[in-house]
Amino acid sequence: MSDNKLTIAGENAVILFEGLFKSIEQSEIEKWITNIDIAFKPIEDKIDYFKEELENQEINDFEFHIIFFKTDGKSCAVKKSIENISIIHFNEIIKIFKEVGQLIRKEHFNLGLIYRMIPVQVNKKKEQLNINRVLDFYSSIIQGTTISVHTVFDYYSEALACSRRKFLAKKADNYYNLYQLGRLVNKETKGFEYFVKEISIFYLGLIKVLTKLEILDKEVLTVEKDISELELNPTIQEKENFLCLNGFSKEAKGLFYLGCMTYQIGRMQEMQNHKNKPILNKISYMGMGTKDILDLYCVLLEKFNQYQSAIRKKAIYLIIDFEKYHHMATKYLGNLPNVLGNEKENLFYLMSGYSSCIYIKKSAEEEDTNDSEQ
């Protein structure tokens, strides 16, 4: 039994196997324990997924159960169980994560990374207080039960809000599970931007996975087939291709470009020796309602008028790009009050645009960021 123990999402778990028609050889159990462990490891580098594709029908004729438990060394108590998991279905889930990881260019995208995406609080003893939200999410994915789109965007918004507070405090004293938060928090604005870029693409990938599994309660980011054939500036064309391929609606595209505008103002502020990019404080990380969007839009235009004379002499490309993004934002948004929906969904589209302008200058291990148009 001890050989079947794993750590999943920071919690103790034991894997129990059950043959459907006959008993399972111990050698096969050991192989699948290794594969299940890999699937749930939130490894932040390139990993190998299932080491072997066990296609033999006899080998696949079994189920397994994941039992999460806590122990004080003397007794055990079950925290959560995910039962009757078909190994065939589980293998399909892993394949979908791998396919989506290739689409979003994140080869380490797997089930385990979900643990790095959903904020989990700890107490003074470092015990995870609300880990059930992660375990429940795993259960829904594995057992095919419906997940609310609002829940996904709630977690995204919460991840940004929690991380933003920690970056401002320059102290990662909670939410230790969030993606590289402990290593990034001392890098201030650059670290926060790296976090936003990574977490935004992870949530885009997660939405794609849930869509492929057909377990979202409503359609979101439905893939559009037509990519604009108009002659556009290469920078805009690249973003248009991304937006169309990922199924952003007209309104979502407008918010995306508003995020691009926000990034350009941040760069202008940085060049004016405002290293912390004060424009980031104009974003409501718990959700962007209509008033928040309108206020941000007005501030962006105000700051653009304020900075453009000085910036024009230093970096004319920032002026040019801001004007391009402004044109695209107004093209898609039109009458703002009539088109905006869920506040946290709005935040996702806005920050997806912001993060699309961030260029990772060095290796991921160095976690540095810089401007993509330099």
Side-chain angles (χ1 to χ4, degrees):
M1 182 71 73
S2 61
D3 292 338
N4 291 13
K5 288 182 180 179
L6 296 175
T7 299
I8 298 175
E11 297 293 313
N12 292 318
V14 63
I15 313 297
L16 304 179
F17 292 86
E18 182 179 352
L20 298 179
F21 304 110
K22 64 178 184 179
S23 60
I24 311 167
E25 296 293 332
Q26 183 60 34
S27 60
E28 300 304 331
I29 289 178
E30 291 172 0
K31 289 179 183 178
W32 279 102
I33 284 289
T34 299
N35 287 334
I36 292 167
D37 187 33
I38 290 172
F40 280 105
K41 274 193 180 300
I43 299 175
E44 295 163 9
D45 285 308
K46 180 180 178 181
I47 64 169
D48 293 326
Y49 283 81
F50 278 16
K51 292 183 177 179
E52 296 183 46
E53 294 293 338
L54 303 179
E55 300 292 348
N56 186 296
Q57 186 62 40
E58 290 184 354
I59 295 175
N60 282 329
D61 282 346
F62 68 89
E63 296 178 335
F64 67 96
H65 318 279
I66 305 175
I67 313 298
F68 295 93
F69 67 94
K70 60 180 179 180
T71 179
D72 58 6
K74 297 179 181 179
S75 60
C76 292
V78 174
K79 296 186 69 172
K80 171 84 176 176
S81 64
I82 308 175
E83 302 176 9
N84 305 114
I85 305 168
S86 162
I87 201 65
I88 298 174
H89 178 60
F90 190 74
N91 201 7
E92 286 302 312
I93 292 172
I94 300 309
K95 287 180 180 178
I96 288 174
F97 269 91
K98 186 174 183 179
E99 290 169 3
V100 170
Q102 291 171 343
L103 287 174
I104 64 173
R105 299 180 182 179
K106 295 293 178 184
E107 295 185 36
H108 59 293
F109 191 63
N110 68 346
L111 273 168
L113 201 55
I114 291 174
Y115 176 54
R116 297 299 188 206
M117 296 165 58
I118 300 175
V120 176
Q121 287 182 295
V122 299
N123 60 19
K124 292 181 179 180
K125 296 179 180 179
K126 301 296 175 67
E127 297 169 330
Q128 299 187 115
L129 300 178
N130 52 348
I131 188 60
N132 274 352
R133 54 177 22 189
V134 177
L135 305 186
D136 289 344
F137 209 94
Y138 281 147
S139 180
S140 293
I141 289 176
I142 293 169
Q143 297 189 323
T145 57
T146 301
I147 294 175
S148 168
V149 167
H150 292 318
T151 297
V152 177
F153 288 123
D154 282 350
Y155 287 154
Y156 173 79
S157 172
E158 189 179 342
L160 289 194
C162 292
S163 64
R164 182 63 178 166
R165 289 197 299 271
K166 298 307 172 186
F167 276 102
L168 290 175
K170 301 180 183 179
K171 187 177 182 181
D173 57 356
N174 213 317
Y175 308 108
Y176 300 105
N177 69 303
L178 283 178
Y179 185 77
Q180 295 193 11
L181 184 62
R183 290 196 288 169
L184 292 171
V185 74
N186 292 324
K187 296 183 179 293
E188 300 179 352
T189 301
K190 293 295 185 183
F192 178 66
E193 287 186 334
Y194 180 86
F195 178 84
V196 170
K197 185 176 182 68
E198 295 297 280
I199 210 75
S200 296
I201 200 68
F202 293 156
Y203 270 89
L204 175 63
L206 180 59
I207 291 169
K208 286 180 174 293
V209 167
L210 301 180
T211 300
K212 285 178 176 287
L213 291 171
E214 300 181 344
I215 57 175
L216 280 178
D217 65 339
K218 71 173 186 177
E219 273 191 346
V220 63
L221 296 178
T222 304
V223 175
E224 298 178 7
K225 296 181 180 179
D226 296 330
I227 294 177
S228 174
E229 296 181 357
L230 298 176
E231 291 187 10
L232 298 171
N233 170 274
T235 300
I236 298 298
Q237 185 66 67
E238 182 181 355
K239 294 191 184 301
E240 283 292 292
N241 291 347
F242 171 83
L243 293 169
C244 288
L245 288 172
N246 287 290
F248 279 58
S249 68
K250 179 181 176 182
E251 296 77 24
K253 289 177 182 179
L255 291 170
F256 179 93
Y257 283 114
L258 196 66
C260 295
M261 291 167 60
T262 305
Y263 181 80
Q264 301 306 311
I265 293 298
R267 287 288 290 121
M268 293 179 195
Q269 290 179 328
E270 192 175 40
M271 296 187 77
Q272 295 294 98
N273 293 319
H274 301 301
K275 300 300 182 183
N276 291 329
K277 300 185 179 180
I279 194 64
L280 288 170
N281 296 326
K282 299 297 181 180
I283 297 170
S284 173
Y285 295 98
M286 286 307 293
M288 294 289 288
T290 301
K291 184 179 183 302
D292 299 313
I293 295 292
L294 288 171
D295 288 347
L296 176 62
Y297 177 73
C298 291
V299 169
L300 292 174
L301 296 185
E302 176 189 336
K303 294 300 179 184
F304 178 69
N305 291 330
Q306 177 184 340
Y307 297 138
Q308 64 172 319
S309 295
I311 295 298
R312 194 175 296 276
K313 301 174 184 178
K314 300 178 182 178
I316 186 66
Y317 64 87
L318 290 177
I319 303 292
I320 294 171
D321 285 346
F322 182 91
E323 291 174 339
K324 290 173 186 172
Y325 295 143
H326 184 206
H327 171 74
M328 299 303 291
T330 53
K331 170 186 173 182
Y332 286 124
L333 283 177
N335 188 4
L336 276 169
N338 294 331
V339 299
L340 299 180
N342 179 274
E343 294 181 357
K344 296 179 181 183
E345 189 173 346
N346 292 340
L347 176 70
F348 172 76
Y349 300 137
L350 177 79
M351 297 310 290
S352 292
Y354 186 96
S355 64
S356 75
C357 297
I358 300 169
Y359 172 67
I360 307 303
K361 184 179 179 182
K362 300 180 181 180
S363 66
E365 288 75 19
E366 293 176 280
E367 298 133 4
D368 199 4
T369 58
N370 210 330
D371 178 58
S372 58
E373 283 88 12
Q374 282 188 336

